[in-house]
């Protein structure tokens, strides 16, 4: 379990994360939702120690150090791969640095998405690069997989395929945290929704709970963010006071 | 262990092609220029031939291009540091490995120039009817120009130390450049260090050292590199809460 | 193997309930027969892009209602002897009738008006 307590991150005077508490349990598929600037990326980066922060983050009770960081993997729309080498090189690199590297999964995924093994990643299309980024995160053999908006720029069929692949591939002990804007698409996929706004968690529900209450995820989210369905209408009203 | 080797392989993969482009162009350019300018009738000494062919200029340009090939461009997509920072090999260790790799690259660079110089000498000797023979070329290289002097294959002990020092300085400069560019800083200090390495290279080694030279020498050769090393290593892994465990 | 190709979930109700309804209607209409095999939980999860917990919940409820039985925990088979099917048909018809009655009543129709409306469209469908 990953336990985050009192996590605070400030960039100068801007508060990106505000005394945030969160627990991530094994086997969960968590959808991390929130508008731009809510702090989704900062949260994930803090877990990996890419940024300094205040508060505590532990993995099974231990702080995150080089000893246990390999139990977590990371995929991002910013792309963390080495652009100047090809997929086979990456596999070799991961093999050397991560004992748990899953050779078979890597091969199956590369095959399934038809990605070239010998092309430098920088020469692939953006869609393929996104897919490759996620494949490496999935093949590392980690227990916790963090994906930060991994599908920016992929068409919907790509994404649908990927959700299904994730469902098929993830073992019962593997945990996935997926930060995304595409709430409708992932609403069936996730088991838990965590809602972020201005650095704070404003919602955290298990989908099973919502199901029992006969409530929909989208409605829950709209509620949490106090989304006013008629705000566009109101705004337009203000633009043309004479009325149309 | 294999982690270090694989890190070297990654850096090599990112830079080797460009480096060979630089070395290849340098070789082609020098040989062509030498063929055109260095073997004409008016040229009497090898030293002269080399200078007239703009070889030192090409050498300088190639030296700068090495930095571009090794450090500048591969820093452009800096986000692969997200992978480097997740390794059980710390980013600091990776940077140390990178520095050693760069040193080897600069060594290769020097050796390439040595080989080229020998080739040019062979050309000169072979085509010249006014030649003073192999002896003459030798004399040229030993005593006449600082450029050639530094390249003579028969390095003396002092010269070897000086060359080694230059290589180390250049490697540190390149590593600092890469780490800084990766994080979006302008690596001012590495420019200074690169220039220092070049100047040290060009300096003649005289039997008696002018006492006035000692202090500037100390600054360039010890302080600045040490300072740069420190900066590099604090920049690598900067902003990370991940505790560094000793290099395994 | 029962095909879920025509299953299209929407936002109207929890997905596990929709799966439940799909299977029930299938049984009632005869499309899904006694001792037909259901895809495994995992396969269905991947097929539909739905979290396995949701699929599990639907299966559990189906089992609770005695409509399926899981042998060895992997394959699930429909258990719908004719009496069960008829009972299901009745349940579904009753539910549909109930909601239609509620709808008509809401719109202020009397029983005779409702019957007349039904009769009018009876031949068409």
């Amino acid at each position: 379990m990953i336990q985050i307590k009192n996590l605070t991150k400030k960039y100068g005077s801007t508060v990106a994360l505000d005394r945030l508490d969160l627990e991530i349990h094994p086997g969960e598929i968590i959808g991390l939702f929130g508008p731009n600037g809510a702090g989704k990326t900062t949260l994930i980066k803090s877990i990996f120690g890419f940024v300094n922060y205040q508060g505590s983050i532990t993995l099974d009770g231990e702080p995150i150090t080089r000893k246990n960081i390999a139990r977590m993997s990371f995929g991002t729309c910013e792309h963390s791969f080495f652009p100047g080498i090809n997929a086979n090189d990456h596999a070799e690199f991961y093999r050397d640095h991560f004992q748990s590297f899953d050779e078979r999964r890597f091969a199956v995924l590369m095959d399934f998405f038809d990605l070239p093994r010998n092309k430098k990643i920088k020469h692939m299309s953006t869609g393929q690069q996104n897919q490759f980024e996620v494949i490496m995160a999935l093949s590392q053999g980690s227990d916790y997989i963090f994906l930060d908006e991994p599908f920016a720029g992929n068409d919907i069929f790509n994404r649908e395929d990927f959700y299904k692949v994730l469902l098929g591939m993830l073992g019962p002990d593997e945990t996935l945290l997926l930060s995304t804007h595409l709430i409708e698409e992932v609403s069936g996929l996730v088991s838990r929704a965590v809602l972020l706004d201005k650095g704070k968690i404003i919602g955290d529900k298990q989908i099973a709970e919502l199901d029992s209450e006969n409530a929909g995820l989208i409605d829950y989210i709209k509620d949490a963010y106090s989304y006013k369905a008629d705000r566009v209408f109101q705004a337009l009203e203000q633009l043309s006071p004479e009325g149309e | 262990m294999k982690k270090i080797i694989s890190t070297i392989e990654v850096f090599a993969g990112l830079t080797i092609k460009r480096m060979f482009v630089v070395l290849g162009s340098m070789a082609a350019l020098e040989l062509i220029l030498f063929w055109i300018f260095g073997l004409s009738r008016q040229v009497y000494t090898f030293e002269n031939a080399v200078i007239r062919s703009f070889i030192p200029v090409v050498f300088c340009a190639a030296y700068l291009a090495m930095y571009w090939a090794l450090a500048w461009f591969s820093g452009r997509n800096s986000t692969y540091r997200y992978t480097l920072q997740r390794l059980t090999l710390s980013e600091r260790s990776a940077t140390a490995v990178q520095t050693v790799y760069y040193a080897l690259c600069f060594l290769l660079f020097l050796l390439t120039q040595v080989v080229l110089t020998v080739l040019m000498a062979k050309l000169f000797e072979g085509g010249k009817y006014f030649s003073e023979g192999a002896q003459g070329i030798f004399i040229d290289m030993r005593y006449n120009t600082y450029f050639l002097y530094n390249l003579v294959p028969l390095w003396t002990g002092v010269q070897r130390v000086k060359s080694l020092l230059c290589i180390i300085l250049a490697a540190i400069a390149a590593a600092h450049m890469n780490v800084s560019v990766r994080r979006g800083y302008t690596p001012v200090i590495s420019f200074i260090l690169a220039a220092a390495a070049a100047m040290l290279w060009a300096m003649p080694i005289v039997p008696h050292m002018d006492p006035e030279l000692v202090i500037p020498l100390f600054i360039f050769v010890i302080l600045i590199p040490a300072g740069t090393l420190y900066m590099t290593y604090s920049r690598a892994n900067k902003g990370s809460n991940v505790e560094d465990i000793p290099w395994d | 193997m029962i095909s879920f190709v025509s299953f299209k979930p929407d936002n109207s109700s929890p997905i596990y309930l929709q799966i439940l309804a799909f299977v029930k209607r299938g049984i009632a209409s005869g499309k899904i027969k006694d001792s037909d095999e259901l895809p495994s939980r995992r396969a269905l999860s991947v097929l539909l892009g739905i979290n396995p917990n949701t699929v599990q919940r639907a299966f559990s409820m189906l089992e609770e209602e005695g409509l399926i039985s899981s042998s060895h925990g992997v394959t699930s088979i429909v258990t719908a002897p004719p009496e069960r099917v008829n009972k299901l048909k009745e349940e579904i018809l009753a539910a549909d009738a109930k909601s239609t009655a509620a709808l008509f009543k809401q719109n202020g129709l009397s029983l005779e008006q409702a019957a007349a409306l039904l009769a009018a469209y009876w031949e068409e469908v």
Side-chain angles (χ1 to χ4, degrees):
Chain A
M1 169 177 84
I2 295 180
Q3 188 150 44
I4 300 169
K5 285 204 203 127
N6 227 352
L7 177 62
T8 307
K9 170 67 186 170
K10 298 201 187 102
Y11 288 104
S13 56
T14 325
V15 180
L17 297 173
D18 190 0
R19 284 161 296 161
L20 197 140
D21 294 321
L22 183 66
E23 272 180 23
I24 301 175
H25 309 106
E28 290 186 317
I29 301 182
I30 303 178
L32 183 64
F33 307 120
N36 286 328
K40 310 194 292 288
T41 304
T42 311
L43 173 58
I44 298 178
K45 285 187 177 174
S46 302
I47 295 174
F48 281 94
F50 294 150
V51 294
N52 286 320
Y53 57 81
Q54 291 134 315
S56 103
I57 301 182
T58 58
L59 171 57
D60 291 344
E62 303 288 328
I64 315 276
T65 68
R66 302 222 173 273
K67 291 190 211 135
N68 56 14
I69 196 172
R71 287 184 57 200
M72 309 189 298
S73 66
F74 179 54
T76 167
C77 54
E78 289 182 68
H79 296 158
S80 62
F81 50 69
F82 301 108
I85 57 178
N86 65 33
N88 283 334
D89 296 330
H90 274 92
E92 233 188 277
F93 183 77
Y94 270 66
R95 225 176 278 136
D96 287 335
H97 286 265
F98 300 105
Q99 287 101 325
S100 50
F101 181 65
D102 192 336
E103 203 72 60
R104 234 190 81 230
R105 195 183 262 190
F106 175 73
V108 167
L109 287 171
M110 288 294 289
D111 236 2
F112 179 74
F113 287 102
D114 218 2
L115 296 182
R117 295 282 201 127
N118 282 309
K119 221 189 217 181
K120 289 193 184 158
I121 314 298
K122 65 180 174 184
H123 293 146
M124 289 187 190
S125 70
T126 313
Q128 289 177 314
Q129 289 179 344
N130 287 344
Q131 287 169 333
F132 182 73
E133 175 85 3
V134 178
I135 288 175
M136 293 320 293
L138 286 176
S139 307
Q140 185 181 310
S142 54
D143 302 317
Y144 296 85
I145 304 164
F146 293 86
L147 298 177
D148 187 10
E149 309 257 14
F151 301 122
N154 282 50
D155 66 59
I156 184 168
F157 303 112
N158 258 212
R159 301 196 297 262
E160 291 283 342
D161 275 349
F162 233 110
Y163 303 143
K164 293 178 181 171
V165 162
L166 282 174
L167 283 169
M169 287 224 144
L170 289 176
D173 296 318
E174 281 183 272
T175 316
L176 172 66
L177 185 139
L178 178 60
S179 140
T180 177
H181 284 140
L182 307 162
I183 307 175
E184 289 100 336
E185 284 182 11
V186 306
S187 59
L189 159 73
V190 300
S191 66
R192 175 180 171 196
V194 174
L195 313 182
L196 222 57
D197 193 25
K198 298 197 184 65
K200 288 201 219 268
I201 294 184
I202 60 168
D204 185 354
K205 276 266 197 177
Q206 299 282 342
I207 299 298
E209 244 186 283
L210 287 173
D211 277 351
S212 300
E213 295 166 14
N214 223 326
L217 177 62
I218 310 286
D219 290 326
Y220 172 65
I221 293 178
K222 283 186 181 166
D223 246 348
Y225 288 103
S226 309
Y227 179 75
K228 293 191 173 48
D230 62 348
R231 61 190 286 266
V232 175
F233 179 72
Q234 302 282 3
L236 288 175
E237 285 266 281
Q238 304 206 347
L239 281 177
S240 53
E242 315 91 55
E244 251 285 18
Chain B
M1 64 258 15
K2 57 178 180 173
K3 282 184 190 162
I4 296 182
I5 295 179
S6 79
T7 315
I8 295 183
E9 281 177 4
V10 167
F11 280 122
L14 293 172
T15 58
I16 258 198
K17 279 218 184 103
R18 299 213 173 203
M19 181 173 72
F20 280 123
V21 163
V22 171
L23 293 179
S25 314
M26 172 171 111
L29 209 56
E30 286 193 10
L31 289 174
I32 292 174
L33 284 173
F34 190 74
W35 186 265
I36 297 175
F37 295 105
L39 298 179
S40 66
R41 290 185 185 213
Q42 285 82 23
V43 183
Y44 299 142
T45 65
F46 182 58
E47 166 203 352
N48 227 8
V50 163
I51 294 182
R52 269 174 154 249
S53 316
F54 307 104
I55 303 300
V57 175
V58 176
F59 180 70
C60 276
Y63 171 65
L64 294 175
M66 283 291 284
Y67 283 102
W68 164 79
L70 294 177
W72 196 275
F73 93 99
S74 69
R76 228 186 332 131
N77 181 356
S78 58
T79 50
Y80 62 78
R81 75 180 171 104
Y82 293 139
T83 303
L84 287 178
Q85 281 182 308
R86 294 190 297 113
L87 305 177
T88 47
L89 184 76
S90 71
E91 197 184 1
R92 285 211 172 116
S93 307
T95 308
V97 169
Q98 188 182 17
T99 311
V100 172
Y101 169 72
Y102 283 161
L104 293 172
C105 292
F106 279 107
L107 179 61
L108 184 63
F109 170 71
L110 272 187
L111 291 176
T112 308
Q113 183 62 63
V114 169
V115 167
L116 284 172
T117 312
V118 170
L119 273 175
M120 291 189 287
K122 283 256 148 73
L123 277 175
F124 188 78
E125 183 192 328
K128 197 79 175 95
Y129 52 77
F130 210 107
S131 121
E132 294 163 15
Q135 278 264 326
I137 296 177
F138 226 55
I139 294 172
D140 276 346
M141 289 181 117
R142 268 214 105 98
Y143 297 111
N144 285 359
T145 343
Y146 301 142
F147 179 74
L148 291 179
Y149 179 66
N150 287 326
L151 285 174
V152 126
L154 307 170
W155 282 338
T156 62
V158 177
Q159 210 157 320
R160 281 199 199 113
V161 169
K162 187 162 81 93
S163 303
L164 190 65
L165 215 52
C166 289
I167 290 174
I168 292 175
L169 294 190
I172 295 176
H176 185 260
M177 194 179 287
N178 187 242
V179 170
S180 303
V181 170
R182 262 196 248 150
R183 283 155 188 278
Y185 297 109
T186 321
V188 174
I189 267 246
S190 43
F191 299 147
I192 298 177
L193 199 56
M199 284 197 287
L200 181 63
W201 172 257
M203 256 172 62
I205 299 293
V206 290
H208 317 287
M209 196 74 87
D210 251 331
E212 292 160 1
L213 275 180
V214 173
I215 295 179
L217 203 67
F218 180 72
I219 293 178
F220 276 119
V221 173
I222 311 290
L223 276 188
I224 293 188
T228 312
L229 254 176
Y230 176 73
M231 274 184 76
T232 311
Y233 288 170
S234 56
R235 264 193 191 160
N237 227 37
K238 181 179 176 189
S240 175
N241 259 21
V242 180
E243 180 197 299
D244 248 337
I245 59 172
W247 188 358
D248 54 52
Chain C
M1 183 83 80
I2 298 172
S3 161
F4 276 78
V5 165
S6 55
F7 176 66
K8 302 231 180 318
D10 55 32
N11 282 328
S12 63
S13 60
I15 299 181
Y16 82 97
L17 285 178
Q18 293 182 44
I19 296 179
L20 203 62
F22 179 81
V23 174
K24 278 184 172 176
R25 281 185 193 267
I27 295 176
S29 71
K31 278 205 210 116
I32 298 178
K33 302 182 184 45
D34 189 32
S35 64
D36 270 353
E37 200 181 298
L38 281 147
S40 72
R41 287 164 192 70
R42 192 192 196 118
L44 199 56
S45 156
V46 175
L47 260 168
L48 301 177
I50 291 174
N51 192 290
N53 295 343
T54 310
V55 176
Q56 176 60 55
R57 193 165 186 180
F59 275 42
S60 300
M61 294 205 68
L62 283 169
E63 227 172 303
E64 251 172 66
E65 300 200 17
L67 287 167
I68 66 173
S69 79
S70 306
S71 48
H72 315 298
V74 178
T75 44
S76 304
I77 308 194
V78 175
T79 50
E83 325 88 62
R84 191 73 181 84
V85 176
N86 286 330
K87 189 152 174 271
L88 209 52
K89 274 193 197 161
E90 282 171 22
E91 281 173 18
I92 293 181
L93 279 173
D96 283 343
K98 205 172 171 192
S99 58
T100 312
L103 184 66
F104 285 166
K105 249 187 160 179
Q106 249 179 4
N107 281 289
L109 267 58
S110 70
L111 184 54
E112 293 81 32
Q113 286 169 313
L117 200 56
L118 279 173
Y121 286 100
W122 194 261
E123 299 303 315
E124 260 183 58
V125 299

